[in-house]
Amino acid sequence: MVLIAVYPGSFDPVTNGHLDIIERASEIFNHLLIAVGKHAVKSPLFSTAERVTMLKEATNHLPNVEVDWFDGLLSDYVRQKGARIIVRGLRAVSDFDYELQMALTLKKLAPAVETVFMMTNSKYIYLSSSIIKEIAGYGGCIHGLVPDNVEAALRRKFKPE
Ligand code: ADP
């Protein structure tokens, strides 16, 4: 059986916490489809195209990983791709309520699809795209927390005029 998994998210931008989940999931599933939600964040810092490009660059060492974007219901996207598994990452207890709501809603809309949770790597437990944007916005050092291409993109975004 070929296991196709979808890892959906905003990835605004992708961090090393996301990348750790991607690398581990790519070892378990035959094919991992990273799905960037077009409207997942109200006012994203990076456009959908920029987020997709950064993810492609950061994962090009992983042959069974593909990067795509979606608009609309995740349940429809997953069905359309012939996938049965959704991968999500869990950090602290604070992630749990939202993830439970998402997983149960998805179960209602697409009963054949299972959400699989992977625990964060303890190195990245505190890491989120929002904290990265906040640090980078104030000119702080984000080296080692995001892939190099993302670090460069953030530097360009926040470069003083
Ligand atoms: P969303 O807006 O859908 O939550 P994110 O891009 O913030 O999208 O996150 C996508 C998924 O990755 C979520 O399941 C989130 O919990 C998980 N994630 C984010 N950061 C980390 C991290 N540092 N370690 C593990 N999982 C993470």
Side-chain angles (χ1 to χ4, degrees):
M1 189 165 68
V2 179
L3 293 178
I4 304 171
V6 172
Y7 181 28
S10 322
F11 305 105
D12 184 42
V14 56
T15 69
N16 284 349
H18 293 126
L19 207 53
D20 182 78
I21 298 282
I22 293 168
E23 283 171 351
R24 284 156 56 204
S26 74
E27 285 175 19
I28 297 172
F29 304 110
N30 302 99
H31 192 74
L32 182 68
L33 195 51
I34 305 172
V36 177
K38 195 166 179 205
H39 296 300
V41 228
K42 282 219 173 71
S43 25
L45 178 64
F46 293 100
S47 69
T48 309
E50 286 175 314
R51 286 181 273 151
V52 166
T53 302
M54 285 189 286
L55 271 161
K56 280 187 178 163
E57 288 166 355
T59 58
N60 69 5
H61 61 296
L62 302 167
N64 63 337
V65 171
E66 191 188 338
V67 185
D68 192 15
W69 60 273
F70 72 102
D71 199 5
L73 285 177
L74 177 63
S75 52
D76 292 340
Y77 176 81
V78 170
R79 250 194 302 251
Q80 183 200 323
K81 293 291 168 184
R84 294 272 309 268
I85 303 150
I86 302 251
V87 173
R88 295 284 289 176
L90 276 181
R91 285 160 294 188
V93 183
S94 48
D95 277 342
F96 185 79
D97 277 355
Y98 177 67
E99 294 296 342
L100 178 68
Q101 185 185 26
M102 288 279 291
L104 295 183
T105 307
L106 194 86
K107 200 77 199 153
K108 174 87 178 76
L109 297 176
V113 176
E114 276 309 323
T115 305
V116 170
F117 294 98
M118 294 182 72
M119 288 301 152
T120 182
N121 182 319
S122 57
K123 282 199 285 192
Y124 303 127
I125 191 159
Y126 59 92
L127 197 52
S128 67
S129 300
S130 329
I131 202 96
I132 287 296
K133 286 181 277 192
E134 196 164 336
I135 300 171
Y138 287 111
C141 177
I142 47 164
H143 189 71
L145 303 179
V146 291
D148 290 348
N149 63 319
V150 174
E151 190 180 341
L154 281 163
R155 218 178 294 121
R156 282 194 300 274
K157 216 32 129 186
F158 290 116
K159 193 170 63 187
E161 291 305 309

